[in-house]
Amino acid sequence: LTRAMKDTRKQVGGLAQTVGYGLEAYAMDKIPQVLANALALVVESSKPEHFTAADGTEDEIDMVVRGTIADRPVVFLCEVKTNITPKEVADFLPVADRVRPQVGCDDVRILYFAYRASTRARQAIADVDGFLAFPHGLIVTPQN
């Protein structure tokens, strides 16, 4: 029974990881479309990016979308999760703050992309002036 439980945990963990990677691959196609439709973003590039801080630590952003809105440069730092929680919103903020100065753009926005997000998570995203997108469109947009 113990061996069967360990094997089940391993299988479920692998399945969760596969779903996460699948969502990231799907997001690479979908996020630029959602931003173009909802915000008239003209996408110049869209890909995962790594950034190295002055202290040598490395941050990986699931997806960095660079483009223009009304001929003004804008960059979206995107965190992709199957389910966004308030904790994941808070955990991504320091990463985004470290990366902002390195992207070469004055207008840097945060976008979370997910299949699900609780009411509390949606509020946490709104509180940090972030965006939340589901595969069918933007769910949360900043009020300002």
Side-chain angles (χ1 to χ4, degrees):
L1 184 59
T2 301
R3 203 172 332 152
M5 289 295 287
K6 284 181 184 179
D7 185 52
T8 300
R9 271 190 235 136
K10 183 177 176 182
Q11 295 294 330
V12 170
L15 179 60
Q17 192 172 25
T18 299
V19 169
Y21 289 140
L23 179 59
E24 285 184 21
Y26 176 68
M28 286 187 198
D29 286 333
K30 198 64 178 173
I31 288 173
Q33 292 173 10
V34 168
L35 292 173
N37 292 340
L39 302 175
L41 176 74
V42 177
V43 177
E44 294 169 6
S45 69
S46 175
K47 61 184 179 182
E49 291 188 30
H50 296 266
F51 298 89
T52 304
D55 66 0
T57 59
E58 191 169 290
D59 292 308
E60 179 184 355
I61 303 296
D62 292 336
M63 191 164 169
V64 178
V65 181
R66 298 171 187 269
T68 58
I69 297 175
D71 294 323
R72 297 185 53 132
V74 63
V75 173
F76 285 86
L77 303 177
C78 307
E79 177 73 353
V80 179
K81 300 283 185 190
T82 55
N83 182 39
I84 298 289
T85 66
K87 180 184 182 326
E88 287 165 333
V89 172
D91 288 349
F92 186 62
L93 292 177
V95 174
D97 288 343
R98 284 192 302 270
V99 167
R100 278 180 200 269
Q102 299 179 54
V103 297
C105 184
D106 292 332
D107 188 355
V108 180
R109 305 175 189 193
I110 298 172
L111 181 139
Y112 298 87
F113 185 84
Y115 287 137
R116 293 183 315 275
S118 68
T119 302
R120 289 179 51 227
R122 293 176 192 206
Q123 186 59 55
I125 292 167
D127 290 346
V128 299
D129 292 326
F131 292 80
L132 171 63
F134 286 174
H136 56 79
L138 290 176
I139 302 299
V140 175
T141 59
Q143 296 301 309
N144 48 0

